[in-house]
Structure formats: structure tokens, C-alpha cells
């Protein structure tokens, strides 16, 4: 079974004859202990507080039977790890993606009144998780107010909490609704005005942060923690 917050993505799954439904990752309508395995790919980094991110992991664990496994992927703050650039950064200079980079790259600048303010409690919680994991490799600055930087595509991250611009093609209503799936060119000022730009919130994870959050739950055991092409990944086992 698949699930997603986006009805459009779920509809695409239905068209391909997959079983999927719309739901929120904080409240999945599946019985506790009924899943042999669960995956959460590129989901948890969209939650804006440490409390919600942890609650999402707890909800994922609730679905698993004892001995069941879960795989979690989140976007990493470290896009250059052990002297190796991630695929995300490498594609900046690739001919196939050069036009996309020119079209979607946006100068980093504050964007006010777009997302809710991160509380000081959340910042303290994130800091505690990092301290518990003894991570010293992340120099991200905490967010002090609601003005989040807008990320420049295919570049390194300078803040853990940021907005990523999504440019949509003008045209049919269906394309405009598929915010999560359509990246589109906007090569001229005129086309930029016609093509809507949405800013999606991301919290990119520092080394050790996801693992520390998982280890704070007494219902799971971390089997593996690893880095994969610009993502921090954890494999959990339900106790």
C-alpha cells in the first residue's frame, strides 16, 4: 500500500493500478503492528518542527509488527561528504540538467510570511539531538524568525531550514495542480510571470540528527545509519 498527502500523486498511482490512498504521515489509517516493512522516502524533512518529525517516526514505528523493518530517507545538510559531492551537486554542470539549473535557480534571500515560525523549543530540541549524537560537522545556523532563505538549486545548503522554489509550467489545470511532480522552465520574465512559483519548506538533516531522533524512541532499534547521495538514511527494527 502507498500513501501520500498529494491527491494528484495518489491518482497517478491509481492510474498505474497501484493501491494508494491520501493521508497524513502523522496519522496513518492502518492498524498498529500490521506491517512487515515500511518506507518513508523524502517525507520527514518537510515537517517544520522537531516534535513533528519525531512524531512521524513514531507513527511509522507504530505500523510495524515486532521484528518489522523501516527505511527512512531525508535530505542531508552535507551535500559534500568525505570529499565526494552528491549527485545533486554534480548535476549542476551536467548538460542534461544545465537548462533546468538556469531555470530553477533562485538567489538565496529572505522570504517573509510564507511559513510558520520555528519555536525556540524546537531549536533547543534539535540542538539537544545533535549534542546527544556528538556531531560536530554541521555549522548550520538556527532560524531566529519566520524569514527563511530561498535555496539556489544545485548548490550547497547554508541553512537547515529553507524554502526550495518549484516552477510550474503554465497551461492545463492538471499540470498546475501537480506541484510536487512538475519542474518547469521559466526562461523569460514573461514566462516567469505566467508560471507560478511555489516555495516548499525543507529541514535538511545534519549528520547524526536522524539517527539520534530514532534512538530516542524505545520501541525501535537502529540497525543501520548511512549516507547515500546527499541523503541521511536509517534502517529501523521494531522491538
Amino acid at each position: 500500500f502507498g500513501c501520500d498527502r498529494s491527491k494528484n500523486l495518489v491518482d497517478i498511482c491509481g492510474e498505474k493500478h497501484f493501491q494508494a490512498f491520501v493521508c497524513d504521515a502523522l496519522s496513518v489509517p492502518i492498524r498498529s503492528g500490521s506491517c512487515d516493512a515500511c518506507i518513508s522516502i523524502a517525507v520527514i524533512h518537510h515537517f517544520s518542527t522537531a516534535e513533528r518529525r519525531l512524531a512521524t517516526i513514531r507513527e511509522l514505528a507504530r505500523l510495524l509488527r515486532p521484528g518489522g523493518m523501516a527505511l527512512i530517507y531525508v535530505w542531508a545538510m552535507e551535500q559534500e561528504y568525505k570529499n565526494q559531492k552528491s549527485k545533486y551537486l554534480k548535476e549542476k554542470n551536467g548538460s542534461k540538467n544545465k537548462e533546468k539549473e538556469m531555470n530553477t535557480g533562485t538567489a538565496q534571500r529572505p522570504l517573509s510570511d510564507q511559513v510558520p515560525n520555528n519555536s525556540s523549543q524546537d531549536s533547543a530540541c534539535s540542538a539537544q539531538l545533535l549534542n546527544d549524537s556528538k556531531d560536530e560537522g554541521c555549522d548550520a545556523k538556527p532560524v531566529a524568525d519566520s524569514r527563511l532563505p530561498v535555496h539556489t538549486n544545485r548548490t550547497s545548503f547554508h541553512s537547515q531550514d529553507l524554502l526550495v522554489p518549484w516552477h510550474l509550467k503554465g497551461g492545463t489545470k492538471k499540470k498546475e495542480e501537480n506541484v510536487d511532480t512538475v519542474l518547469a522552465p521559466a526562461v523569460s520574465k514573461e514566462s516567469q510571470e505566467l508560471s507560478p512559483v511555489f516555495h516548499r519548506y525543507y529541514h535538511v538533516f545534519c549528520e547524526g540528527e536522524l539517527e539520534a531522533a530514532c534512538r530516542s524512541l524505545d520501541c525501535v532499534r537502529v540497525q543501520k545509519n548511512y549516507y547515500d547521495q546527499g541523503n541521511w538514511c536509517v534502517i529501523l527494527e521494531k522491538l
Side-chain angles (χ1 to χ4, degrees):
F1 296 95
C3 56
D4 199 278
R5 186 62 182 262
S6 167
K7 181 179 182 300
N8 289 323
L9 292 180
V10 169
D11 288 344
I12 291 173
C13 290
E15 293 169 1
K16 296 178 179 293
H17 307 293
F18 296 127
Q19 299 185 79
F21 57 90
V22 176
C23 80
D24 192 305
L26 289 168
S27 181
V28 180
I30 294 179
R31 292 195 312 273
S32 299
S34 61
C35 298
D36 295 312
C38 296
I39 61 172
S40 175
I41 307 296
V43 173
I44 296 176
H45 56 214
H46 288 301
F47 287 91
S48 62
T49 68
E51 181 182 17
R52 288 190 177 196
R53 293 189 287 271
L54 183 60
T56 308
I57 300 172
R58 185 182 291 110
E59 177 70 355
L60 193 69
R62 179 189 67 80
L63 304 176
L64 293 171
R65 64 165 176 79
M69 308 290 286
L71 172 66
I72 302 174
Y73 264 62
V74 294
W75 215 352
M77 176 79 177
E78 301 85 354
Q79 289 298 307
E80 190 166 344
Y81 186 68
K82 293 184 178 179
N83 297 321
Q84 293 290 326
K85 290 186 177 181
S86 69
K87 183 179 179 182
Y88 174 73
L89 293 184
K90 287 180 179 178
E91 287 183 348
K92 179 178 181 180
N93 296 321
S95 58
K96 182 178 179 180
N97 295 282
K98 189 169 293 185
E99 183 178 357
K100 184 185 293 185
E101 157 62 15
M102 291 173 62
N103 296 329
T104 60
T106 303
Q108 294 198 22
R109 55 183 175 78
L111 188 67
S112 303
D113 304 324
Q114 291 286 340
V115 295
N117 181 24
N118 283 354
S119 67
S120 57
Q121 182 178 1
D122 174 40
S123 298
C125 183
S126 295
Q128 183 61 47
L129 288 175
L130 289 177
N131 289 335
D132 291 344
S133 66
K134 298 181 180 180
D135 171 52
E136 298 178 355
C138 184
D139 57 357
K141 298 179 180 179
V143 176
D145 53 36
S146 62
R147 293 174 296 180
L148 294 178
V150 177
H151 180 59
T152 300
N153 199 25
R154 307 294 172 186
T155 64
S156 298
F157 297 116
H158 302 290
S159 172
Q160 274 194 274
D161 298 276
L162 45 83
L163 301 173
V164 176
W166 291 77
H167 295 247
L168 304 189
K169 288 181 179 179
T172 65
K173 182 178 180 181
K174 183 177 181 180
K175 286 184 179 179
E176 290 184 354
E177 288 178 345
N178 288 337
V179 177
D180 288 345
T181 58
V182 182
L183 274 173
V187 294
S188 65
K189 183 177 180 181
E190 291 76 13
S191 61
Q192 285 180 355
E193 291 174 352
L194 294 175
S195 301
V197 179
F198 292 84
H199 293 86
R200 295 187 74 192
Y201 170 84
Y202 283 79
H203 172 85
V204 290
F205 281 68
C206 287
E207 181 175 7
E209 185 178 355
L210 176 61
E211 181 183 12
C214 294
R215 291 190 185 281
S216 71
L217 300 178
D218 57 11
C219 59
V220 296
R221 174 169 51 234
V222 175
Q223 292 281 39
K224 188 177 182 181
N225 175 65
Y226 62 98
Y227 180 89
D228 180 25
Q229 287 298 332
N231 299 280
W232 285 113
C233 320
V234 164
I235 296 177
L236 301 176
E237 180 184 6
K238 179 70 172 290
L239 300 176

